[in-house]
Amino acid sequence: MMEKLAFYLQHPFVQYALIVGVLIALCSSLLGVTLVLKRFSFIGDGLSHVAFGAMSVAAVLGLTDNTVLVLPVTIICAILLLCRGQNTQMKGDAAIAMLSVTALAFGYLCSNIFSTSANLSGDVCTTLFGSISILTLRKEEVWMCMVLSVVVVLFFILFYHKIFDVTFDENFARAVGTKVDAFHFVLSIIIAVIIVLAMKLVGSLLVSALIIFPALSSMRLFQSFKGVTICSAVISVICAFSGILISILAGTPVGATVVGVDVLVFGVCWCLGRLHGGE
Amino acid sequence: MTILTANQLAVGYDGKIVCDHINFQVEEGDYVCIIGENGAGKSTLLKTLLGLNQPMEGSIVFAENLQKKEIGYLPQQTIVQRDFPASVEEIVLSGFQGKMGLRPFYNHKERKKAKENMETMQIADLAKKCYRELSGGQQQRVLLARALCATERLLLLDEPVTGLDPRTMVELYQLIQKLNDAGITIIMISHDISMSMQYAKHVLYLGHHSFFGTKEEYEKSEIGKKFSQLQEMEEKE
Ligand SMILES: Nc1ncnc2c1ncn2[C@@H]1O[C@H](COP(=O)(O)OP(=O)(O)OP(=O)(O)O)[C@@H](O)[C@H]1O
Ligand SMILES: [Mg+2]
């Protein structure tokens, strides 16, 4: 088995898949802690539906590179969702549900009426599970992913305390002069960019899982924000790495395997948390 | 020096006015108590002063050199999700966030000050504990310690003694007095009239006819007499 693994690891496409998978896992787990705590667990799903809607429109308009439409639209929706602040009437989950259903319906309607592509269910499927398989990444995509990850990790280290303050008590942060709106603005852009990128590479199913599971797992084990953040990054990276290796060895779909490992780890963490809490 | 002036101020939510014709003036080093019945708009006024709510009418003028990072704030309610992982230490330290600007980490001095404030509020031994697992009174002390970290010139407190045991309550009043002696301006909402009368320099009563004046003026005024009679009656019951 080790030989087989060593054989596969020589191939650049396997190396690329590992690098990109792990980096996306790292970024989304870092964002995940804040998103889960702000009741935005489903933002990955919601925004990828928005992106799907935008893609359909782009297809109807006949744009060759649909990123020029998809990315701005997704960013705008992310800003609309996150910058509404703590004191609004509608809760985050309801807003996301509304937006995502609307975008999905609109996108489907568009592509149905102006039907350009014959294979509609296929298109829907690729947005869910990743259009370009993670095993066929190009070098430029890997580089882009690396640059983006460095930006996200740096943002996280430099603004770690601000992220805590704004997530924990938005009103207090505002009262003592933290620029909450500017912060949310930057955060939304980062989230939108990561989701659009990750959706193309690994599919929206995996994005949502990567955002939710590590954060929830580590919240079973740790009581402090710092502990949870570090732990979820570690869990996420380990899960993505081992998930991709397993999928290569066993020939299973990458995204689904990584999600499976994440679920397993969540189960273990839940049990550990229970045992610890029961003492 | 005048630190803030409210002129014909009206406060409220979503276009609905809760309380209007509010006029008062706070001097540097003042100790103002805001009193009034439930729902009179005390917390709303405080939020408006902090810029969390927009004034409906009228104006608030701050001293030009007063910066947001010099203000400490204790909210009446903090809606914290039940599953939020946050240690006491992390929350108390977050009081310094306004002063950090773009500096990413807390410095040595701030950590020391946070520790002192935790000791004052007697929560030093809870530092590593999770906030959500504390009792109501302990949580109140954590938020107070955070407010103490944030304050440099002005401290706004919304019912700070709620949920505190009598001993901590007295200690808190003495602590606030000490801060006031050190030159920090205090604006405090309180339902504990007798205690606040003991310490306050000025009183702001919110109601149909709002009143602002020194403690002595308040005690002589119609509103003051009526309101304290009501309070006494309630206490007897
Ligand atoms: N978020 C909100 N949205 C709309 N109306 C609100 C909101 N919060 C409070 N109110 C209304 O504003 C009025 C004043 O509320 P406020 O919290 O300022 O009262 P208070 O004087 O602080 O009372 P208490 O002594 O109970 O703390 C109340 O009638 C309340 O119904
Ligand atoms: Mg109140």
Side-chain angles (χ1 to χ4, degrees), chain B residues 86-121:
Chain B
S87 70
V88 168
E89 197 178 16
E90 285 177 320
I91 295 173
V92 174
L93 271 169
S94 79
F96 290 112
Q97 61 183 280
K99 299 183 186 65
M100 293 214 308
L102 289 175
R103 171 160 50 90
F105 301 107
Y106 297 115
N107 59 30
H108 182 71
K109 223 171 86 194
E110 286 165 347
R111 287 181 187 280
K112 203 171 133 224
K113 181 99 179 288
K115 209 170 195 171
E116 284 169 13
N117 286 335
M118 280 194 275
E119 270 155 22
T120 327
M121 294 319 300

Side-chain angles (χ1 to χ4, degrees), chain A residues 37 39 158 160-162 164-165 167-169 171-178 219 223-226 228, chain B residues 50 52 68-69 71 73 78 80-81 83-86 90-91 94 97-98 100-101 104 106 130 132-133 146:
Chain A
L37 289 173
R39 291 289 178 268
L158 292 181
Y160 167 77
H161 289 291
K162 288 265 182 306
F164 171 78
D165 303 332
T167 319
F168 179 72
D169 191 346
N171 279 341
F172 181 82
R174 238 181 255 276
V176 297
T178 304
M219 273 159 69
Q223 308 279 307
S224 68
F225 194 73
K226 202 178 194 170
V228 168
Chain B
L50 285 163
L52 301 175
K68 277 222 151 187
K69 62 179 184 191
I71 300 176
Y73 171 47
T78 307
V80 177
Q81 288 160 29
D83 55 354
F84 202 108
E90 285 177 320
I91 295 173
S94 79
Q97 61 183 280
M100 293 214 308
Y106 297 115
C130 183
R132 61 171 189 254
E133 285 167 3
R146 176 180 72 170

Side-chain angles (χ1 to χ4, degrees), chain B:
Chain B
M1 198 184 94
T2 310
I3 209 163
L4 78 89
T5 315
N7 214 332
Q8 280 301 322
L9 181 68
V11 297
Y13 292 92
D14 310 318
K16 260 194 285 207
I17 291 177
V18 172
C19 189
D20 53 3
H21 302 299
I22 308 172
N23 293 292
F24 64 96
Q25 198 170 352
V26 181
E27 302 292 324
E28 181 117 54
D30 212 339
Y31 192 142
V32 180
C33 245
I34 304 179
I35 56 175
E37 289 162 29
N38 290 134
K42 303 182 293 298
S43 303
T44 314
L45 172 64
L46 222 56
K47 284 186 204 156
T48 313
L49 292 182
L50 285 163
L52 301 175
N53 279 11
Q54 289 306 312
M56 303 264 125
E57 279 165 28
S59 64
I60 306 168
V61 183
F62 284 96
E64 260 167 37
N65 56 5
L66 181 73
Q67 290 172 309
K68 277 222 151 187
K69 62 179 184 191
E70 297 171 317
I71 300 176
Y73 171 47
L74 175 81
Q76 183 174 19
Q77 280 174 330
T78 307
I79 315 147
V80 177
Q81 288 160 29
R82 258 190 51 73
D83 55 354
F84 202 108
S87 70
V88 168
E89 197 178 16
E90 285 177 320
I91 295 173
V92 174
L93 271 169
S94 79
F96 290 112
Q97 61 183 280
K99 299 183 186 65
M100 293 214 308
L102 289 175
R103 171 160 50 90
F105 301 107
Y106 297 115
N107 59 30
H108 182 71
K109 223 171 86 194
E110 286 165 347
R111 287 181 187 280
K112 203 171 133 224
K113 181 99 179 288
K115 209 170 195 171
E116 284 169 13
N117 286 335
M118 280 194 275
E119 270 155 22
T120 327
M121 294 319 300
Q122 295 158 357
I123 47 170
D125 50 330
L126 301 175
K128 300 282 176 224
K129 273 251 188 175
C130 183
Y131 177 77
R132 61 171 189 254
E133 285 167 3
L134 302 180
S135 76
Q138 287 169 328
Q139 291 185 344
Q140 181 79 350
R141 292 191 215 179
V142 174
L143 298 185
L144 270 164
R146 176 180 72 170
L148 293 182
C149 287
T151 189
E152 247 166 45
R153 273 177 76 187
L154 179 59
L155 182 58
L156 298 156
L157 301 163
D158 198 339
E159 304 193 17
V161 295
T162 323
L164 298 184
D165 56 56
R167 204 182 102 212
T168 320
M169 200 162 99
V170 172
E171 277 171 5
L172 179 69
Y173 277 121
Q174 282 165 356
L175 175 71
I176 296 173
Q177 183 60 48
K178 243 198 305 191
L179 290 174
N180 187 236
D181 290 340
I184 292 175
T185 312
I186 313 278
I187 300 179
M188 179 167 85
I189 295 177
S190 178
H191 285 297
D192 183 355
I193 305 289
S194 51
M195 267 298 198
S196 12
M197 284 302 153
Q198 190 181 329
Y199 293 104
K201 291 176 188 160
H202 283 91
V203 176
L204 173 63
Y205 171 84
L206 288 191
H208 276 303
H209 301 283
S210 299
F211 172 91
F212 178 73
T214 60
K215 186 169 63 180
E216 292 76 23
E217 281 166 3
Y218 173 77
E219 276 163 352
K220 280 194 209 113
S221 74
E222 285 295 311
I223 292 171
K225 280 179 194 152
K226 255 212 278 216
F227 194 62
S228 48
Q229 264 171 13
L230 269 173
Q231 291 273 325
E232 273 167 30
M233 261 159 60
E234 271 166 29
E235 271 162 30
K236 268 180 207 150
E237 270 172 20

Side-chain angles (χ1 to χ4, degrees), chain A residues 6-23:
Chain A
F7 170 73
Y8 275 119
L9 282 180
Q10 283 168 359
H11 293 286
F13 71 90
V14 177
Q15 295 167 1
Y16 290 166
L18 273 175
I19 294 173
V20 168
V22 165
L23 288 181

